[in-house]
Each structure stands twice: as C-alpha cells, then as structure tokens.
Amino acid sequence: MENVAVFDSPGKGRGLKASKEFWAGDVIFTEPSVSAVVFDGHSERICHSCFRRQDKLQRCGQCKFAHYCDRTCQRAGWAEHKQECSAIKAYGKAPNENIRLVARIMWRIDKEGSVMSDMQLVTLDELEDHLNDMTEDELKEFKVDIHNFLDYWPRNSKQHTVEYIFHIFGVINCNGFSVSDQRGLQAVGVGLFPNLCLVNHDCWPNCTVILNHGNQSAVNTIFHSQRRIELRSLGKIEAGEELTVSYVDYLNLSEERQRLLKTQYFFDCTCEHCKGRIKDDLKMAGREVDGVKPSEDQVKEATDFCFEMLEKMENARISGNYHELVKICQNTVDKTEPILADTHIYLLRMYSTLSEVQAYLQHFEDAAEYARKMVDGYMKLYHPNNAALGMAAMRAGVTHWQAGLIEVGHGMICKAYAILMVTHGATHPITKDLEAMRIQTEMELRMFKQNEYVYHSMREAALKNKPMTMMHEPKSIKGKK
C-alpha cells in the first residue's frame, strides 16, 4: 500500500490519495477480501470458492449447500467454509447471504483479530456502519436478520454483543462490494474489502475497481493466488491527488445519482458533475434535425412514454416473452426516435435491451443496428475509459460479427479491447477473450478485403461448426432507471 496514503478529504471524511504519479491502466493497489459469499440465487450454479460459473458443480457432502468446481476448489475454500459447514448443518438450512457473510467475517476476526494483514489500512471497527442514518423500516429488516443470525451463530463460537453484530451488518450494508463471475459479466456474490472502503465516490472518477479471481485451480496449493480487487487508474493521476471510484452508474441523471447515493451510502454528492448537472441536458435532449429541435412538450411526452414502457419491458422479460419484449421496444423506438436525441438515456435503454434480446433470438442484423446506436450514445456520455462503455463496445462488436458486418465488428472489438486493457488489464479473462476475438476478426477482415465471396462462404461454413458468441439470456433492466 506504499502507492497510497490515508488523508482527511474535505467534506468526505477519510479518503485515499496517490503517493506517486499514475497513468491509465496502472494498478494502484490490490486487496484480498476479508470474506465473500455467493448470492442466494446463484448458490447452485457458482463455485463457492473461486466464484466461477460451471455447468456441473460438486456439492459439499456435509452441509449439502456449498458447491465447488472440484476437490481442488473445495480444499481451497475449506478454511472459510469449515465453521460455516457445521453451522448450516446444526441450523438445518443455509441463512441468507448477509447472515452468511457476517458470520464468515466474525469467524475470521475471532481467529486473526481486527487487523488481518500488514497491508490493511483500516480495521472493521473503524468502518462506518451508518446505523444512525437508517430509517425505522430499514432497522426493522436488520433486526430480522440479526434475530436469525443469533439462531444460526454456534453456541461454541465466541459470543458477541448485539451492538457489535449490528455494526458488522451495517458495515457490509454500505461497504459490501459485488463479486462477479470469472468473465466479469454478472454479479454473483458480495465481499468485504476494507481498504477499498476508504476510496471515496465521484461521479466522474479517476479510478475503477475490477475483481481478479486469482488462481485456485492448481492441484498444488502453493501455486494458488487469492481472489482480490484491483484499483486501476483511468487516466493520469498526479501525486497527492485523491483517488475516487463511482458507486453508481453515470448514465443516471444527477438528481437520480444523488438519490441513490443518499439512500444506499448516506451522503450528499457534491462532485462537479452533480453540482453542474453536467451532461444532464444531453441525457434528456430532443433530436435536432437540420437545426430544428422538437418542442419541450414533445420531448416531455416522448420521455414519459419511454419511462412508462420500461415497466412493461421488465414484465415481458420476467415472463420470458421475448417476442413481446421486442415488440414493445420497437414500437417505443419507432414512436420516440424521431423526437429524442441519440443520447437520451431512456432511448439508450431501449437500444440496449433490443440489441441484447435480438441477439438472444439470433436476429443478428437488428441486434447489430441497435448495439451500434447504443455505443454511439454511450461514447458521448461516458468517460472514454469507462468499463461499461468497453463492455457495450464488446457486445456490439460480437453482434456485428454475427451479422456478417466484419468491418464494423472488428472496429468495435478493437475499441473494446483498448478500453478493457485499461479497466481490466491484459491478464483478465475477458480481455483475453477480446484479444482472441481481435485476432480472429483481423484475420477475417483481411480475407474479406481480398475476396468477399470466399469470405462469406467460409464464414457460413464456420458458423455451422462453432460460432463466436457471448450472448446470454437477457438480464433485468431494473436498477437502470
């Protein structure tokens, strides 16, 4: 942790600042989790040790709850699971993810103390729990979890005061960090990283955080490396400059970001982008054609209509009625696209949903068109090295390739690769996937330019074998409003 220093950030409390100069893509620090657990809904599909997604997992023979890739992962995860295993057996079932995470953290504190490594800058006792900022309803939910925790916590484990248990629940509530699967495509669990908790928020940050799963697959445990987060620089950072990350998606309006931050993290954001409402005008803008803009009433009507359709879209997705979902989105786009700008956030959500669902339905040309529009809008709104922009460009590149549009597809994949080299680094699995795609599409592009007919003939033959694909079942659009 020699690259950073703890300091009092004006108006924010403690923060971290750079001790030296950094450039885009530099790893400022790494930190293993105190503990991490798989979400309840993924407990049978994600390895509880390495957090990788597998088709077939082996279940713990004792508690019947924990699942692992194989015996190697089970042995690697045994230190964290040992006490949990007997507790689940005695309790009769696995409690929810919050209770499981708090229990794992407290077992580790009991064993190692509040300072678990020489690199730890802050103890768990010193982290904010914001219990005094919570509403009565939120505290009632906490009390239910604590009641269940006390039933779950073994009698032969060290007993703690209710106040201390409340504190740990409060800490993970406002400091828990989502743990993604091995490709970084979906949040599958939650963990606690104390040093990361010191990095303050900014809506236009100079850093990003990614999860490095490490290596736990080697048979010999001496070659294992820990699951850890990496704090990476998005651009040049001067020595003495505060390090910041974004806790919420910048695609939200300033008012909505502030509301989310106040609700979840209990502070009022006063960053330059919130104070100046920077780019809010673009996010709610009307489309200008030949110098002519729609009226404010027209823009408001189209905006309200888009917002109403979001709930219908979500209902169609939940029911698995993807053809109806496409119909809702296309009708909404047809009605509002002539009025709303290509940076309007509700229109961008339509594009994102349509590109994802159409790709899932294998309507690749339509998917590519909407993915391109989505990326064009994102480029005008996001930081040029934002990970969400990189992931969107990757998706657009794949769908263009699937549609046979190799030139645009290769360009998108190259753009995604450049961004993810900064945000994820060369060794991250998704960056490696992109590198393979980049090489493949570059080769295909040369072939396309030499002989278009031969290229398409060979491409169709290849598609019948095994196409390049990264499409998953469409995800929820909730949380993006």
Side-chain angles (χ1 to χ4, degrees):
M1 298 300 293
E2 67 276 1
N3 291 339
V4 300
V6 181
F7 80 116
D8 288 325
S9 179
K12 298 181 181 179
R14 287 174 304 178
L16 291 183
K17 62 181 179 181
S19 298
K20 66 176 187 178
E21 186 178 80
F22 293 101
W23 295 87
D26 284 347
V27 177
I28 299 170
F29 70 78
T30 66
E31 181 185 18
S33 63
V34 169
S35 189
V37 295
V38 173
F39 286 145
D40 298 338
H42 293 285
S43 62
E44 296 181 2
R45 299 189 296 275
I46 299 295
C47 175
H48 288 217
S49 177
C50 70
F51 285 77
R52 285 171 168 80
R53 185 183 299 279
Q54 301 283 3
D55 292 332
K56 292 183 179 180
L57 294 171
Q58 298 179 12
R59 189 173 66 171
C60 174
Q62 296 296 315
C63 67
K64 314 295 185 186
F65 172 73
H67 288 71
Y68 301 96
C69 300
D70 48 34
R71 285 192 174 276
T72 302
C73 274
Q74 188 170 13
R75 284 195 296 268
W78 181 241
E80 275 198 288
H81 180 57
K82 182 178 180 180
Q83 288 170 290
E84 175 186 71
C85 185
S86 58
I88 290 173
K89 282 174 60 181
Y91 191 53
K93 62 179 181 179
N96 68 41
E97 63 229 19
N98 290 335
I99 294 173
R100 287 187 286 117
L101 180 56
V102 168
R104 282 189 168 201
I105 290 170
M106 291 177 64
W107 277 317
R108 187 163 180 194
I109 292 172
D110 292 346
K111 181 181 179 181
E112 302 178 36
S114 58
V115 178
M116 299 162 196
S117 89
D118 294 338
M119 309 300 286
Q120 192 173 324
L121 299 175
V122 62
T123 68
L124 270 61
D125 294 347
E126 295 172 314
L127 291 176
E128 292 284 352
D129 58 29
H130 290 288
L131 294 174
N132 293 330
D133 299 314
M134 292 183 182
T135 64
E136 283 297 320
D137 288 340
E138 289 170 332
L139 287 173
K140 282 180 182 178
E141 291 181 16
F142 261 44
K143 288 175 182 177
V144 171
D145 270 352
I146 287 171
H147 174 79
N148 292 331
F149 174 88
L150 292 172
D151 286 342
Y152 170 69
W153 187 251
R155 296 293 176 263
N156 60 351
S157 291
K158 180 181 176 181
Q159 299 303 303
H160 297 271
T161 65
V162 173
E163 289 76 17
Y164 187 70
I165 298 169
F166 250 113
H167 171 71
I168 301 297
F169 270 97
V171 165
I172 66 164
N173 178 62
C174 54
N175 292 289
F177 181 78
S178 293
V179 176
S180 62
D181 59 12
Q182 71 270 33
R183 288 289 180 264
L185 297 174
Q186 185 180 12
V188 296
V190 61
L192 185 65
F193 302 82
N195 292 343
L196 180 61
C197 298
L198 294 174
V199 182
N200 287 317
H201 163 85
D202 195 290
C203 291
W204 197 262
N206 55 17
C207 297
T208 190
V209 184
I210 64 108
L211 184 76
N212 186 321
H213 283 266
N215 173 24
Q216 295 176 322
S217 60
V219 175
N220 190 336
T221 56
I222 196 172
F223 297 114
H224 287 186
S225 57
Q226 290 179 298
R227 174 182 61 246
R228 61 197 183 275
I229 58 94
E230 295 177 353
L231 186 73
R232 305 179 69 93
S233 173
L234 292 177
K236 185 179 179 182
I237 298 175
E238 301 286 355
E241 186 177 343
E242 180 171 12
L243 304 172
T244 57
V245 296
S246 182
Y247 298 175
V248 295
D249 188 359
Y250 181 70
L251 217 58
N252 291 301
L253 294 172
S254 299
E255 185 178 357
E256 176 64 7
R257 294 198 307 272
Q258 289 177 313
R259 186 192 67 79
L260 290 170
L261 292 165
K262 185 69 172 178
T263 301
Q264 180 64 35
Y265 301 101
F266 308 101
F267 70 87
D268 296 307
C269 184
T270 58
C271 76
E272 293 302 317
H273 278 251
C274 279
K275 286 194 295 185
R277 301 194 176 279
I278 297 173
K279 297 195 178 184
D280 278 8
D281 54 342
L282 290 176
K283 295 174 187 177
M284 286 284 133
R287 186 179 297 270
E288 184 175 339
V289 181
D290 298 327
V292 179
K293 295 181 180 180
S295 67
E296 290 185 8
D297 288 343
Q298 286 177 307
V299 173
K300 184 179 184 306
E301 183 181 353
T303 298
D304 291 344
F305 180 74
C306 273
F307 187 79
E308 289 173 12
M309 291 301 105
L310 289 175
E311 185 173 354
K312 292 185 178 181
M313 287 162 53
E314 179 64 5
N315 291 336
R317 187 206 62 79
I318 290 172
S319 64
N321 191 347
Y322 297 128
H323 292 285
E324 177 64 20
L325 178 55
V326 168
K327 182 179 177 181
I328 293 169
C329 289
Q330 285 183 330
N331 287 342
T332 305
V333 168
D334 291 343
K335 181 173 180 178
T336 61
E337 197 172 42
I339 300 169
L340 302 180
D342 61 355
T343 54
H344 194 290
I345 55 175
Y346 295 165
L347 193 58
L348 288 173
R349 284 166 200 162
M350 296 291 170
Y351 292 156
S352 176
T353 302
L354 274 169
S355 67
E356 191 174 5
V357 176
Q358 292 285 43
Y360 180 70
L361 297 174
Q362 298 191 358
H363 301 157
F364 296 124
E365 288 188 11
D366 289 337
E369 177 190 356
Y370 291 118
R372 179 187 55 76
K373 291 180 177 180
M374 172 186 67
V375 172
D376 287 347
Y378 282 6
M379 288 175 63
K380 297 174 184 177
L381 297 175
Y382 276 125
H383 185 288
N385 282 333
N386 187 287
L389 174 59
M391 300 295 279
M394 179 186 70
R395 175 148 56 105
V398 172
T399 52
H400 278 81
W401 180 89
Q402 290 168 319
L405 304 170
I406 186 63
E407 291 178 287
V408 178
H410 178 65
M412 288 284 189
I413 286 171
C414 287
K415 178 170 186 60
Y417 181 71
I419 295 172
L420 266 66
M421 279 291 287
V422 172
T423 60
H424 289 63
T427 61
H428 194 280
I430 203 162
T431 315
K432 290 181 178 179
D433 285 348
L434 269 172
E435 170 66 358
M437 290 181 203
R438 188 183 66 81
I439 294 170
Q440 179 178 335
T441 55
E442 185 176 8
M443 177 187 67
E444 291 188 23
L445 183 58
R446 283 199 301 267
M447 188 185 300
F448 173 82
K449 289 180 177 179
Q450 289 169 359
N451 192 317
E452 196 172 328
Y453 174 75
V454 171
Y455 164 73
H456 283 294
S457 299
M458 293 183 68
R459 181 180 180 278
E460 286 188 21
L463 281 172
K464 292 175 182 178
N465 181 20
K466 187 178 180 182
M468 174 170 62
T469 177
M470 296 190 70
M471 296 300 108
H472 302 280
E473 186 171 347
K475 295 176 290 210
S476 170
I477 59 170
K478 279 188 176 178
K480 294 185 180 180
K481 294 184 181 180

